[in-house]
Amino acid sequence: MKFLIIGNRRTGSEMLATFMCSHPSGMWCFKEMAYDFVPKMVDNQGCILRYTELDKWENPNLQEYKLIHILRRNIVAHTVSDIITCCGWRGAHRYGEYTEHYPAVKMTLDLDKFNRWGKKNVELTLKYFNMFKSTSLPIFYEDITNNITVKTMPQDIADKICDFLGIERSALTTKMCKVNSMDYKNYITNYQDIENFDADWVVKCREGGSA
């Protein structure tokens, strides 16, 4: 059995990988890898494969891999997290000093960037959700963690993953801690503008129209 965790950035894929590495079978999940690493994997191994790597892979043959698709229902929160983390603060105006706990820093998000990145996130998510919906197991970030650090995966989700992979059911655990568990409203100065944003992709997300 070989498997792939496919998904976008900031969807909880690394957290999911550490959970899966805790299975007593000894299976191992590599972190984010390039697409040309995938054929090198052996039995009982998997890796994270981002949408951006799938875009580079011409005519991939994924029939021998079990596909677990990690998703976020809240595309708005996903996009905010994406900008904050992946831009290294370039997507926000900072107020105060940086600490390890970045909610201590007040910031204002660039709404144009928020709109561009959010639209792209929705496009990529729907593209790959539709591409793999009949061959993959969708797992939602929100079903694993409710914006808090979770050390043991909810057993119904763990059972679903184990059954899909054809391995013995087991508790799945992680030592990872959530970097940010604070409400965005507490440190993004214009979060009200984000909540009221009326672009088509945001409306679709609010109405539950995303994957």
Side-chain angles (χ1 to χ4, degrees), residues 30 33-41 45-47:
F30 295 93
M33 304 300 292
Y35 72 88
D36 56 1
F37 172 82
V38 173
K40 301 174 185 177
M41 293 193 304
Q45 289 184 343
C47 74

Side-chain angles (χ1 to χ4, degrees), residues 3-4 17 30 43 59 115 127 145 151 158 199:
F3 64 92
L4 297 173
F30 295 93
D43 192 46
N59 302 316
N115 187 40
K127 172 184 175 180
T145 173
K151 295 298 186 181

Side-chain angles (χ1 to χ4, degrees), residues 154-173:
Q155 195 57 49
D156 61 325
I157 305 298
D159 289 347
K160 187 184 297 186
I161 291 173
C162 291
D163 290 349
F164 180 73
L165 296 178
I167 57 178
E168 184 179 356
R169 289 184 174 186
S170 173
L172 301 179
T173 61

Side-chain angles (χ1 to χ4, degrees), residues 27-150:
M27 72 175 175
W28 185 257
C29 186
F30 295 93
K31 297 291 182 70
E32 181 179 351
M33 304 300 292
Y35 72 88
D36 56 1
F37 172 82
V38 173
K40 301 174 185 177
M41 293 193 304
V42 299
D43 192 46
N44 220 31
Q45 289 184 343
C47 74
I48 297 169
L49 195 65
R50 300 275 188 247
Y51 293 155
T52 49
E53 288 300 312
L54 282 165
D55 277 343
K56 299 175 188 176
W57 200 350
E58 294 184 11
N59 302 316
N61 183 2
L62 301 179
Q63 292 183 352
E64 65 176 303
Y65 304 97
K66 298 278 190 175
L67 304 180
I68 299 175
H69 197 169
I70 185 72
L71 299 150
R72 286 184 74 158
R73 289 190 177 93
N74 191 335
I75 301 292
V76 172
H78 173 207
T79 301
V80 171
S81 176
D82 201 15
I83 293 172
I84 291 172
T85 305
C86 298
C87 282
W89 305 103
R90 290 188 297 273
H93 302 291
R94 290 173 46 195
Y95 300 94
E97 295 298 319
Y98 172 76
T99 67
E100 290 184 357
H101 305 287
Y102 63 71
V105 180
K106 296 289 185 180
M107 63 186 70
T108 303
L109 291 188
D110 182 327
L111 294 182
D112 288 336
K113 181 184 289 292
F114 170 72
N115 187 40
R116 293 195 309 273
W117 284 45
K119 184 177 181 181
K120 183 65 174 177
N121 279 339
V122 170
E123 290 173 353
L124 282 172
T125 299
L126 289 177
K127 172 184 175 180
Y128 285 107
F129 179 78
N130 290 325
M131 184 180 297
F132 296 122
K133 64 182 177 181
S134 64
T135 56
S136 67
L137 173 67
I139 296 292
F140 289 91
Y141 170 85
E142 290 86 352
D143 292 340
I144 299 176
T145 173
N146 187 23
N147 206 35
I148 58 174
T149 294
V150 176

